[in-house]
Amino acid sequence: MQVFNLSSQSEDLTDLLPSMVKLTAHPDLCVKKACGEILAQHSSKNSEMVLLAINTLVQDCADGNPMVRGLALKTLSSLQQDSVIEHLEPAVKAGLLDKSAYVRRAAVLACIKLHQLSASAVQDGGFVHTLYDMIRDSDPIVVVNCICALDEILMDEGGVVINQKITHYILSKLQMFPTWMQIKILEILKKYKPESEDELFDMMNVMDFCLEHNSPTVMVVCLQLFLHFLEDMPHLQSEVFKRACSSIVGHLGSGNTELMYTLVELVSAAPDSVHHFCDSFQSFFCRNKEPVYLKTAKIRLLPQLVTEDNGHAIMDELALYCVDASSDVSLEAMLALGRILHTKNVFSQDCQTKFISLVQSSTPHVFSNSVKVLQDLDIKDKSFWESLILNICQHSHLISSDASKAALLFLVGEHGKNLSEAVLLLRDHVENFDEIKDRDVKIELLSATVKMFLNHPAECQSFLGQLFERATIDKDREVQYRAVFLYQMLKTSITTAKSVLFSP
C-alpha cells in the first residue's frame, strides 16, 4: 500500500524497480498486477531492469493459467522500451490464437501498443489481417476490441473498413454486446454505406430496439446513426423522430445537462420533425438550475413548437425568461417572442403586449435587450410604436451598451416623429456627441436626427447643424462620409431626402 501511495503521488520509485522485477515472478496475481503497473510507469528510466522483467513476463505468457498469460501480455505491452518489440511480437501472435477469451482480449489491445512502438512490426507481421479475421470471434469483447484496434492502427488510412459481411455479422450480435460496446458499434457503423434501400431498412429494423434503450447514450448514438443513413431522405427522418419521441421526452427529464443539450440540438437540427414534440412542449421548458447554454438552446426551439393550442402557454413561459437574471437568456427569450410574432399572426397582439411590458422594465439588461430585439421587428401598428417609443425615451438612461444605444436611436428615428420626448432625446445625444466612441451609434444618431428634422424642422434645425459640424470632422471616415452624404442630400432636395429616408 505504501508503494502504491508513493506511486499515486508521482514519487520516483526507480530504486524499487529491482524488487518489483523479482516480484513479477510471485505466484499471487494481485502482486503480479501491482508490480506490472509500477514497472510500466517507470520502465523508461531503467532499461536494464526492463530487460530482466521481460524474461519473466515472456515465461508468464506461456503459463498454464490464462489469467497469468493475459496479465503478462498487458504488462509486457505497457513497457516503454524498443527492446520489448522483439519479445512482444511473438507473444501477441500467440495470444491472438489463445483458447482463452481473456488472453485474446489482452492480445488484441496489445496490438495497439505494439503499433505505437513499431508500426512496421504490425504491418509486416500480418496483424491487421488477423484482427480483421478475429472480428468474427465468438467473444463479443474480442470483436469490439478488434474493431477499436483496427480503427487506431489504420487511423492514417481512414480507420477500420467496414464491409457488408462485417456489418451484418456485428448487427446479428448487437444485442449480445454490453452497453458501452453497443455505443462503439453504432459509431463505427457510420463508416458503412448500405448498398440498397432494402438493406438499409433491414439494418434499421435490427437496430430499432436501440431507440428505446435504457441507456440514453445508446439511444442518442442510434438516433444520430439513423439520421446519418437517411440524410437524403428527410421524410423518413421525421418518422425516426416520431419513433424516438417518447424516449427523447423521457430523457429530457433526466437531469443530465449534457444529454439534454444534445437531445435539444438534435431536435432543433430537424425542423421538419419538430411537430412530433408539440404535445410535449413543457418538456422543453427551462429549469432554474440549468446552465445558460442549455436554457438558450431550449428557448431557441420553443417557437417551433407553437401551435394554436399551446401558443399562449409558451409565450407566457418565454415572458418569464425575458426577465431572467442572465442577459443571454433574456435576449434569447425576446428573440424567440419576435420569431413567434413574425411566424404566427394569431399571436401577434399578445407578443406586442409583452414587448410593451418589457420596455417598462427598470432592469438595465432587460430594457437594453428589448430595444435591440424591437429594432428588427416589422410591426405596422403605429399606435404600438407611439406608446413604445414614449416608454423607450423615458427609460433611455438604463442603456449602457453601444449596440443598444444604436438600436434605440434607430427606433426613435424610425417611429418617434410625433413625440416631443424623441426630439429632446436626440438633442441630448447631439450635445454629448464628442463622448460617443462607437461608429454605429454616431451613424444612427445622424440618420435619426435628419429624419426628425424632416418632420420637425423648426425644433431640430439648430442641433442638426451642430451635429453636421462635429460629424464632418470626426476621426472615423465612415461617420464623415455619412454626414457629408446626408448634408448634400438635404441641400440638394428635401423631397428626395424624404423619399430616400422614409422609403418602405
PDB file of all heavy atoms in Angstrom, residues 454 494-504:
ATOM      1  N   LEU A 454     -36.712  66.348 -40.811  1.00  0.00           N
ATOM      2  CA  LEU A 454     -37.653  66.387 -41.934  1.00  0.00           C
ATOM      3  C   LEU A 454     -39.099  66.464 -41.460  1.00  0.00           C
ATOM      4  O   LEU A 454     -39.976  66.931 -42.198  1.00  0.00           O
ATOM      5  CB  LEU A 454     -37.454  65.147 -42.816  1.00  0.00           C
ATOM      6  CG  LEU A 454     -36.117  65.080 -43.568  1.00  0.00           C
ATOM      7  CD1 LEU A 454     -35.959  63.747 -44.280  1.00  0.00           C
ATOM      8  CD2 LEU A 454     -36.004  66.240 -44.569  1.00  0.00           C
ATOM      9  N   ILE A 494     -35.116  68.423 -50.486  1.00  0.00           N
ATOM     10  CA  ILE A 494     -35.809  67.876 -49.320  1.00  0.00           C
ATOM     11  C   ILE A 494     -36.726  66.727 -49.736  1.00  0.00           C
ATOM     12  O   ILE A 494     -36.853  65.712 -49.038  1.00  0.00           O
ATOM     13  CB  ILE A 494     -36.629  68.965 -48.619  1.00  0.00           C
ATOM     14  CG1 ILE A 494     -35.698  70.048 -48.025  1.00  0.00           C
ATOM     15  CG2 ILE A 494     -37.492  68.360 -47.519  1.00  0.00           C
ATOM     16  CD1 ILE A 494     -34.814  69.535 -46.910  1.00  0.00           C
ATOM     17  N   THR A 495     -37.361  66.867 -50.897  1.00  0.00           N
ATOM     18  CA  THR A 495     -38.263  65.819 -51.383  1.00  0.00           C
ATOM     19  C   THR A 495     -37.520  64.504 -51.613  1.00  0.00           C
ATOM     20  O   THR A 495     -37.983  63.420 -51.234  1.00  0.00           O
ATOM     21  CB  THR A 495     -38.927  66.256 -52.696  1.00  0.00           C
ATOM     22  OG1 THR A 495     -39.599  67.505 -52.484  1.00  0.00           O
ATOM     23  CG2 THR A 495     -39.919  65.210 -53.185  1.00  0.00           C
ATOM     24  N   THR A 496     -36.333  64.613 -52.222  1.00  0.00           N
ATOM     25  CA  THR A 496     -35.520  63.417 -52.455  1.00  0.00           C
ATOM     26  C   THR A 496     -35.087  62.793 -51.133  1.00  0.00           C
ATOM     27  O   THR A 496     -35.107  61.565 -50.978  1.00  0.00           O
ATOM     28  CB  THR A 496     -34.273  63.771 -53.286  1.00  0.00           C
ATOM     29  OG1 THR A 496     -34.695  64.342 -54.537  1.00  0.00           O
ATOM     30  CG2 THR A 496     -33.425  62.542 -53.536  1.00  0.00           C
ATOM     31  N   ALA A 497     -34.702  63.646 -50.202  1.00  0.00           N
ATOM     32  CA  ALA A 497     -34.270  63.148 -48.887  1.00  0.00           C
ATOM     33  C   ALA A 497     -35.398  62.362 -48.221  1.00  0.00           C
ATOM     34  O   ALA A 497     -35.168  61.294 -47.637  1.00  0.00           O
ATOM     35  CB  ALA A 497     -33.830  64.308 -48.009  1.00  0.00           C
ATOM     36  N   LYS A 498     -36.613  62.863 -48.295  1.00  0.00           N
ATOM     37  CA  LYS A 498     -37.754  62.166 -47.678  1.00  0.00           C
ATOM     38  C   LYS A 498     -38.009  60.824 -48.359  1.00  0.00           C
ATOM     39  O   LYS A 498     -38.282  59.818 -47.698  1.00  0.00           O
ATOM     40  CB  LYS A 498     -39.006  63.044 -47.758  1.00  0.00           C
ATOM     41  CG  LYS A 498     -39.003  64.211 -46.795  1.00  0.00           C
ATOM     42  CD  LYS A 498     -40.324  64.969 -46.875  1.00  0.00           C
ATOM     43  CE  LYS A 498     -40.360  66.095 -45.843  1.00  0.00           C
ATOM     44  NZ  LYS A 498     -41.637  66.853 -45.882  1.00  0.00           N
ATOM     45  N   SER A 499     -37.920  60.823 -49.699  1.00  0.00           N
ATOM     46  CA  SER A 499     -38.183  59.569 -50.415  1.00  0.00           C
ATOM     47  C   SER A 499     -37.129  58.519 -50.118  1.00  0.00           C
ATOM     48  O   SER A 499     -37.423  57.322 -50.087  1.00  0.00           O
ATOM     49  CB  SER A 499     -38.251  59.839 -51.928  1.00  0.00           C
ATOM     50  OG  SER A 499     -36.980  60.278 -52.401  1.00  0.00           O
ATOM     51  N   VAL A 500     -35.886  58.965 -49.888  1.00  0.00           N
ATOM     52  CA  VAL A 500     -34.807  58.018 -49.583  1.00  0.00           C
ATOM     53  C   VAL A 500     -34.906  57.517 -48.149  1.00  0.00           C
ATOM     54  O   VAL A 500     -34.856  56.313 -47.880  1.00  0.00           O
ATOM     55  CB  VAL A 500     -33.424  58.670 -49.829  1.00  0.00           C
ATOM     56  CG1 VAL A 500     -32.309  57.776 -49.290  1.00  0.00           C
ATOM     57  CG2 VAL A 500     -33.224  58.954 -51.306  1.00  0.00           C
ATOM     58  N   LEU A 501     -35.063  58.445 -47.201  1.00  0.00           N
ATOM     59  CA  LEU A 501     -35.018  58.079 -45.783  1.00  0.00           C
ATOM     60  C   LEU A 501     -36.296  57.432 -45.286  1.00  0.00           C
ATOM     61  O   LEU A 501     -36.272  56.669 -44.309  1.00  0.00           O
ATOM     62  CB  LEU A 501     -34.709  59.323 -44.946  1.00  0.00           C
ATOM     63  CG  LEU A 501     -33.313  59.911 -45.160  1.00  0.00           C
ATOM     64  CD1 LEU A 501     -33.159  61.218 -44.393  1.00  0.00           C
ATOM     65  CD2 LEU A 501     -32.237  58.929 -44.726  1.00  0.00           C
ATOM     66  N   PHE A 502     -37.423  57.721 -45.929  1.00  0.00           N
ATOM     67  CA  PHE A 502     -38.688  57.153 -45.467  1.00  0.00           C
ATOM     68  C   PHE A 502     -39.242  56.102 -46.422  1.00  0.00           C
ATOM     69  O   PHE A 502     -40.429  55.777 -46.365  1.00  0.00           O
ATOM     70  CB  PHE A 502     -39.726  58.263 -45.280  1.00  0.00           C
ATOM     71  CG  PHE A 502     -39.363  59.243 -44.208  1.00  0.00           C
ATOM     72  CD1 PHE A 502     -39.261  60.606 -44.492  1.00  0.00           C
ATOM     73  CD2 PHE A 502     -39.087  58.807 -42.923  1.00  0.00           C
ATOM     74  CE1 PHE A 502     -38.920  61.510 -43.495  1.00  0.00           C
ATOM     75  CE2 PHE A 502     -38.742  59.718 -41.930  1.00  0.00           C
ATOM     76  CZ  PHE A 502     -38.659  61.063 -42.217  1.00  0.00           C
ATOM     77  N   SER A 503     -38.374  55.562 -47.276  1.00  0.00           N
ATOM     78  CA  SER A 503     -38.843  54.527 -48.199  1.00  0.00           C
ATOM     79  C   SER A 503     -39.176  53.260 -47.417  1.00  0.00           C
ATOM     80  O   SER A 503     -38.476  52.908 -46.459  1.00  0.00           O
ATOM     81  CB  SER A 503     -37.768  54.228 -49.248  1.00  0.00           C
ATOM     82  OG  SER A 503     -36.577  53.772 -48.614  1.00  0.00           O
ATOM     83  N   PRO A 504     -40.225  52.524 -47.790  1.00  0.00           N
ATOM     84  CA  PRO A 504     -40.639  51.329 -47.044  1.00  0.00           C
ATOM     85  C   PRO A 504     -39.614  50.207 -47.191  1.00  0.00           C
ATOM     86  O   PRO A 504     -38.851  50.165 -48.128  1.00  0.00           O
ATOM     87  CB  PRO A 504     -41.963  50.958 -47.706  1.00  0.00           C
ATOM     88  CG  PRO A 504     -41.932  51.582 -49.060  1.00  0.00           C
ATOM     89  CD  PRO A 504     -41.113  52.830 -48.929  1.00  0.00           C
TER      90      PRO A 504
END
